Amino acid sequence: MGLQSSIALTHLTSRRRQTLVSLSCVVLGVAFFLAVSSLMSGSERDFLKRLVDNSAHITVSDEFRSAAVQPAALRWADGAVHISHVKPKTETRGIRGYRQKLAFVESLPGLRAAPMLVGSAVLTFAGREHGVTLSGIVPSKMKNVSTIEEKTVAGSLDALSANPNGIVIGKGLADKFGLWLGSTVSVTAPSGVNRPMKVVGVFRMGNASVDETQTFTLLKRAQMLLERPNRVNRFVIQLTDPYQARVVAQRIERAVGYKSLSWIEASEDFLSLLLIRRIIMYSVVSAILIVASFGIYNTLSTIVMEKTRDIAILKSMGFHSRDIRRIFLIEGVIIGLIGSAVGVACGLGLMRVLASIQFKIPGVTETQHLPLDWSVTQYALAAAFALISCIAASYLPARRAGRLHPVDILRGAA
Amino acid sequence: MSAVLSAAGVVRRLSGEVPVTLVDGVNLDIERGEFVCIMGPSGSGKSSLLYLLGLLDVPTAGRVLLDGDDTSRYGEDELANRRLEKLGFIFQFHFLLAEFTVMENVLLPMRRLGKLSDDSARTRARELLERFGIGAQSAKRPHQLSGGERQRVAIARALANEPLVILADEPTGNLDSVSSANVRQILRGLTRETATTVVAVTHDGSFAAAADRRIGIVDGKIDNAWRPG
Ligand SMILES: Nc1ncnc2c1ncn2[C@@H]1O[C@H](COP(=O)(O)OP(=O)(O)O)[C@@H](O)[C@H]1O
Ligand SMILES: [Mg+2]
């Protein structure tokens, strides 16, 4: 052990009670920091997981981010061209040349894509009408990009392939109209085209509006009903790494030209809310450690005052100011290291207790547990923060000790 | 013989509301192996002069030369290095570190200097302690020792790095007559056997009588006519 460390250690042991008090402040701080931070981070992950699992990572739609530039403005790009009262050319809706574009998207690594044609329709059964969203899908592809297959409570998505007039509806709608597998409903498109369809699957996503208004049918059938042959108006894309969504979406948008919306962009307001939550949480738990560092400051200041004579001896012997400063910084580091180690252990205990708490949410059958983040980052964060506040707290006493002049002390003592 | 420690026109003044002159133009040459006593009335500036000679304090004017080196050009760290390598201090009160054993106290300067291996440093410390008749106490803490024993530990510690000069401020001021005689003999012996130079401030008449030279200080100035009494 180094000379300075051994002196530091004797200082701490000579003031055992005060050292223990500062140490327990750090331990408490680290333990609470760890438990709260892991709970916060865990719930954030849980929330993000739900968000990521239940929404498309990227949606390419048949829209553009900005209105088309007028030919005249293109022709005289530098001119003071102002065009008013123009009506843009009527666009045929849908993604043009979707097959090549889908093939391009599918050629990108780490993603799965499915084409969709989304429109609205009116569903009629036993004299009652209900407006729904009719999505034309390719079942084999759709299964890769959504959780609908797992959420199907009766029938299946694949049954659509076997029955071109099949429709898959939500549990909410099924309950409302008293429908079940095999029931026949009449589907009317905005154009007036009307066709009887048979319920071949029922899903339950857990979201009331989705369960009441979302319906699926074969892409071909939807194209016919909505009178948009060979068209789709949406690609739904799932990524292996959802956090790449923003980058991949930008890349797709640049290549395909249509608006590609990543889940990150779509839920920006939620994400900024999470950030605020994180700031609040860290300010609260940091406050505990700041209080702890006042304790350390107090302990070390007392030790410096008590040990002025020792400091004078060491300096007269030939110790540099730097050596003396280092002795007291090491004392802060020792408290920080031991405090973090014991604090992490206590924090783990606290996390165990939190993890064992069970509760039930009405309407959900399984018991829930608090989501906790057990990752190493949490421990490292708590320990690092404790160490930094300990060093900061010992800095002022250490500097004061380093500046003490041996002659002043010798004169006082002689 | 050339001077190992010299003061040339050394002045130490404290600036304040009432400026105080502690040391007022001292010229002094101390030879190698010399045993010098500084005497004078209380408050005459003896300790202040010793701090200046020991590079603990810096003169307001004048220069202190150690081993032929003008120390006025050195910064704080350089002065600390000279103290570590070439000087040893003994004070009236023993000034040992209370939490360390006798052995560890003697090891401190050697560990700070880092020239000797751990083993050689221990061997040297043991030799020093045995030489002063306290080899058996090496595992004890300072508070378990008598005043005379503590002062001998302080001498051992001051000698740890084989200094050129030992500076002592009333080393027997707090000791009984037997211990005083013991300390006096040790310091006297050092100058004869190892050519270590000793500069000691003292009020002790028999201590002063053993010295090679006595220097009187009155009001911060050298006054060799001064006699105790
Ligand atoms: N910090 C100080 N402020 C004012 N006066 C001081 C200070 N330190 C020492 N003195 C005075 O300087 C004089 C010399 O002190 P000192 O060198 O300790 O004398 P000695 O060791 O001969 O008794 C004394 O009169 C003492 O009171
Ligand atoms: Mg004095």
Side-chain angles (χ1 to χ4, degrees):
Chain A
M1 190 172 30
L3 184 52
Q4 286 121 342
S5 318
S6 62
I7 296 175
L9 216 54
T10 60
H11 283 175
L12 293 178
T13 45
S14 76
R15 272 248 152 216
R16 199 159 303 163
R17 193 150 42 96
Q18 226 169 348
T19 304
L20 280 179
V21 171
S22 327
L23 208 53
S24 29
C25 289
V26 178
V27 168
L28 270 179
V30 170
F32 275 112
F33 190 105
L34 184 56
V36 174
S37 160
S38 111
L39 189 58
M40 251 358 205
S41 160
S43 69
E44 189 176 306
R45 279 188 183 191
D46 187 61
F47 176 79
L48 282 179
K49 187 173 178 317
R50 280 167 208 252
L51 198 66
V52 165
D53 284 354
N54 292 334
S55 58
H57 294 168
I58 300 174
T59 312
V60 181
S61 55
D62 61 340
E63 288 165 27
F64 299 97
R65 263 189 209 271
S66 41
V69 182
Q70 289 303 313
L74 275 181
R75 173 68 182 79
W76 294 284
D78 298 328
V81 179
H82 179 74
I83 304 151
S84 54
H85 300 298
V86 281
K87 185 175 170 224
K89 193 175 78 179
T90 309
E91 283 268 354
T92 30
R93 301 277 303 179
I95 297 173
R96 290 179 196 215
Y98 88 86
R99 278 178 224 279
Q100 293 101 293
K101 283 173 178 152
L102 185 65
F104 163 78
V105 169
E106 282 176 325
S107 75
L108 297 175
L111 59 74
R112 304 169 303 279
M116 269 176 115
L117 177 66
V118 182
S120 46
V122 172
L123 197 141
T124 319
F125 180 73
R128 293 165 72 188
E129 290 180 344
H130 190 69
V132 295
T133 304
L134 185 69
S135 300
I137 58 164
V138 179
S140 59
K141 293 201 167 180
M142 193 62 192
K143 277 192 291 186
N144 290 332
V145 299
S146 88
T147 51
I148 175 115
E149 181 87 339
E150 302 153 31
K151 304 283 170 71
T152 303
V153 292
S156 73
L157 217 54
D158 285 326
L160 286 176
S161 317
N163 186 349
N165 278 326
I167 188 168
V168 173
I169 62 170
K171 183 88 164 42
L173 185 59
D175 289 347
K176 198 168 180 173
F177 276 19
L179 299 169
W180 203 240
L181 292 185
S183 312
T184 302
V185 292
S186 168
V187 178
T188 311
S191 58
V193 182
N194 171 303
R195 186 170 276 267
M197 297 184 97
K198 192 166 150 193
V199 176
V200 295
V202 178
F203 61 84
R204 184 179 177 284
M205 296 295 244
N207 177 319
S209 114
V210 170
D211 286 347
E212 278 195 14
T213 63
Q214 190 59 255
T215 65
F216 296 97
T217 180
L218 273 189
L219 180 59
K220 281 261 169 333
R221 178 61 64 220
Q223 284 169 341
M224 190 216 87
L225 273 169
L226 299 169
E227 296 188 310
R228 311 269 285 282
N230 285 316
R231 285 265 168 170
V232 303
N233 58 9
R234 195 171 293 182
F235 295 159
V236 176
I237 299 167
Q238 269 336 74
L239 301 175
T240 319
D241 177 6
Y243 291 91
Q244 293 295 318
R246 198 188 282 274
V247 181
V248 177
Q250 277 164 4
R251 185 164 170 204
I252 292 174
E253 180 159 335
R254 239 177 292 125
V256 174
Y258 289 103
K259 183 176 173 183
S260 303
L261 190 69
S262 67
W263 69 272
I264 299 173
E265 196 184 344
S267 32
E268 229 147 32
D269 49 344
F270 274 127
L271 297 181
S272 67
L273 207 68
L274 288 183
L275 183 68
I276 291 170
R277 213 175 74 125
R278 213 182 297 174
I279 291 171
I280 295 172
M281 183 268 298
Y282 280 123
S283 351
V284 171
V285 288
S286 304
I288 306 173
L289 279 172
I290 288 167
V291 171
S293 51
F294 276 113
I296 294 166
Y297 170 82
N298 187 43
T299 304
L300 291 185
S301 298
T302 315
I303 292 177
V304 169
M305 275 197 290
E306 262 177 11
K307 297 294 179 191
T308 47
R309 239 172 77 127
D310 288 18
I311 294 166
I313 299 169
L314 293 172
K315 278 201 153 182
S316 69
M317 208 184 273
F319 277 64
H320 292 188
S321 301
R322 196 178 332 123
D323 300 320
I324 306 294
R325 214 160 44 226
R326 201 170 296 156
I327 289 172
F328 289 90
L329 285 176
I330 290 173
E331 291 174 27
V333 171
I334 292 174
I335 295 179
L337 284 178
I338 299 178
S340 322
V342 180
V344 164
C346 292
L348 269 172
L350 211 57
M351 283 159 74
R352 285 261 158 75
V353 172
L354 288 174
S356 69
I357 295 172
Q358 295 187 347
F359 55 92
K360 278 198 157 202
I361 294 175
V364 178
T365 38
E366 320 125 64
T367 50
Q368 303 279 306
H369 290 274
L370 289 171
L372 289 161
D373 180 356
W374 297 89
S375 69
V376 181
T377 333
Q378 296 300 313
Y379 314 130
L381 202 63
F385 202 95
L387 212 52
I388 288 169
S389 36
C390 288
I391 291 171
S394 52
Y395 177 73
L396 283 181
R399 200 178 61 159
R400 181 145 29 89
R403 283 182 179 174
L404 283 177
H405 224 291
V407 169
D408 296 337
I409 299 154
L410 293 171
R411 279 210 180 101
Chain B
M1 277 206 290
S2 65
V4 69
L5 187 61
S6 319
V10 165
V11 176
R12 181 67 170 106
R13 208 170 278 128
L14 293 177
S15 54
E17 267 182 45
V18 186
V20 188
T21 303
L22 305 175
V23 174
D24 196 1
V26 167
N27 289 297
L28 193 59
D29 280 312
I30 295 164
E31 304 298 324
R32 182 154 199 159
E34 213 181 354
F35 184 177
V36 178
C37 272
I38 298 174
M39 307 188 77
S42 181
S44 59
K46 305 182 293 297
S47 296
S48 303
L49 177 60
L50 201 73
Y51 299 150
L52 290 164
L53 293 173
L55 311 184
L56 283 170
D57 202 2
V58 181
T60 316
R63 293 175 302 162
V64 173
L65 284 86
L66 173 62
D67 200 17
D69 249 357
D70 182 358
T71 59
S72 62
R73 61 201 165 96
Y74 292 141
E76 198 198 321
D77 287 354
E78 269 297 328
L79 290 175
N81 289 341
R82 305 291 128 166
R83 292 199 295 273
L84 185 67
E85 289 165 12
K86 299 187 172 174
L87 302 176
F89 292 91
I90 305 166
F91 300 102
Q92 178 174 3
F93 301 98
H94 62 86
F95 271 21
L96 299 174
L97 299 194
E99 290 93 2
F100 286 96
T101 63
V102 164
M103 172 58 90
E104 287 165 339
N105 265 286
V106 178
L107 283 173
L108 268 176
M110 293 189 260
R111 289 177 71 186
R112 177 60 187 83
L113 187 61
K115 268 196 185 147
L116 294 181
S117 72
D118 241 31
D119 280 347
S120 332
R122 273 181 188 279
T123 309
R124 172 156 176 78
R126 205 168 304 118
E127 277 168 13
L128 283 168
L129 291 171
E130 268 158 21
R131 189 155 121 209
F132 303 142
I134 38 175
Q137 326 278 14
S138 66
K140 288 188 179 164
R141 297 287 196 80
H143 70 92
Q144 296 168 300
L145 269 50
S146 74
E149 286 169 331
R150 286 181 209 160
Q151 201 58 302
R152 278 180 275 161
V153 178
I155 296 173
R157 187 179 66 187
L159 285 170
N161 287 335
E162 301 187 66
L164 286 174
V165 184
I166 294 275
L167 297 135
D169 196 352
E170 304 191 34
T172 59
N174 209 33
L175 300 180
D176 60 79
S177 56
V178 176
S179 301
S180 294
N182 193 280
V183 167
R184 184 176 71 229
Q185 277 150 19
I186 288 173
L187 293 178
R188 180 69 264 191
L190 276 177
T191 59
R192 297 228 163 105
E193 289 149 26
T194 61
T196 308
T197 310
V198 174
V199 182
V201 169
T202 192
H203 286 300
D204 181 341
S206 41
F207 192 95
D212 296 326
R213 178 151 61 116
R214 284 151 293 276
I215 296 166
I217 297 282
V218 178
D219 286 338
K221 294 189 184 75
I222 292 187
D223 177 359
N224 282 325
W226 187 82
R227 290 288 172 275

